Amino acid sequence: PLHCTAVGKAIAAVLPEDRVRAILDADGMPRMTDATITDVDGYMRELEATRERGYALDNGENEPDGRCVAVLVSGLGLPVAISLSAPAARFTLDEVEGVADALRSVAEDLVEDLGGEPI
């Protein structure tokens, strides 16, 4: 779901706000775990944080012990993101930045390999 996954947040962070609100209105924001963001304003704040960080984070929002980081694959003309997920016990918050950096590098290589134009 758009509201509780890192891939969903990475893509939503580059969509116009009215489009994000329309998707959330249509799909709802069901609680998947105790950490799931279930209000639109809270989600919009999370998208702003995603833009500032340059990556999206699902910190137990979709799966109780899950952690996922995702980055947008820009330059393909499609809403595409890549991610890495693992149990939170094996993927610590201290590792998130390094994984995000590695994912950004992979995303750049994908765009180049597919003939897109990196942004």
Side-chain angles (χ1 to χ4, degrees), residues 13-102:
V14 297
L15 295 176
E17 183 175 332
D18 61 335
R19 180 69 179 130
V20 173
R21 288 179 180 274
I23 293 168
L24 295 175
D25 186 48
D27 291 348
M29 299 179 73
R31 182 172 299 286
M32 306 299 275
T33 73
D34 290 342
T36 304
I37 300 169
T38 58
D39 67 285
V40 174
D41 291 335
Y43 186 72
M44 292 303 185
R45 286 189 298 275
E46 178 64 15
L47 293 185
E48 183 58 36
T50 296
R51 288 182 207 100
E52 289 174 9
R53 283 190 306 259
Y55 63 85
L57 180 64
D58 162 8
N59 194 23
E61 297 162 54
N62 192 47
E63 296 287 335
D65 184 40
R67 181 162 293 130
C68 182
V69 62
V71 299
L72 193 69
V73 181
S74 300
L76 298 178
L78 299 168
V80 178
I82 58 172
S83 67
L84 181 126
S85 299
R90 293 189 312 182
F91 181 18
T92 67
L93 286 173
D94 291 339
E95 296 171 300
V96 167
E97 281 283 336
V99 169
D101 289 342

Side-chain angles (χ1 to χ4, degrees), residues 71-73 82-83 99-113:
V71 299
L72 193 69
V73 181
I82 58 172
S83 67
V99 169
D101 289 342
L103 286 171
R104 276 191 283 275
S105 178
V106 169
E108 290 171 8
D109 290 346
L110 281 172
V111 171
E112 184 178 315
D113 290 347

